[in-house]
Amino acid sequence: MMKHSTYTSYDELPLMLSVTEVAAVLGISRAGAYELVHGNEFPALKIGSRIVVPKDKFLTWIDANSGSKNAPL
């Protein structure tokens, strides 16, 4: 069984995040996280049958995709 953690800061994130961890951090469903990781713009790596997201690339993606002037409040 997978351990589910609640993170209180980006510093607590593991170096490689699973799709379930990405979903938890973003506050979206696991299905929504899978849609993201299968997109061309999201920094996911496939290692064997496992999909992981490097923490540094994930944080860069968050910065690049937030704070847009056109984004709804």
Side-chain angles (χ1 to χ4, degrees):
M1 190 170 273
M2 286 185 72
K3 178 184 161 196
H4 294 283
S5 299
T6 301
Y7 301 109
T8 57
S9 75
Y10 289 144
D11 294 333
E12 296 176 355
L13 295 175
L15 290 176
M16 293 289 182
L17 288 85
S18 67
V19 176
T20 302
E21 289 168 325
V22 168
V25 170
L26 295 177
I28 61 174
S29 69
R30 198 170 67 160
Y34 273 104
E35 281 187 43
L36 273 178
V37 300
H38 288 297
N40 293 334
E41 301 295 319
F42 197 81
L45 300 172
K46 188 163 183 174
I47 300 173
S49 62
R50 190 161 181 239
I51 299 170
V52 294
V53 179
K55 173 184 171 177
D56 59 338
K57 304 248 186 247
F58 179 58
L59 297 178
T60 300
W61 179 86
I62 289 173
D63 285 342
N65 289 280
S66 62
S68 170
K69 292 178 183 175
N70 296 325
L73 297 176

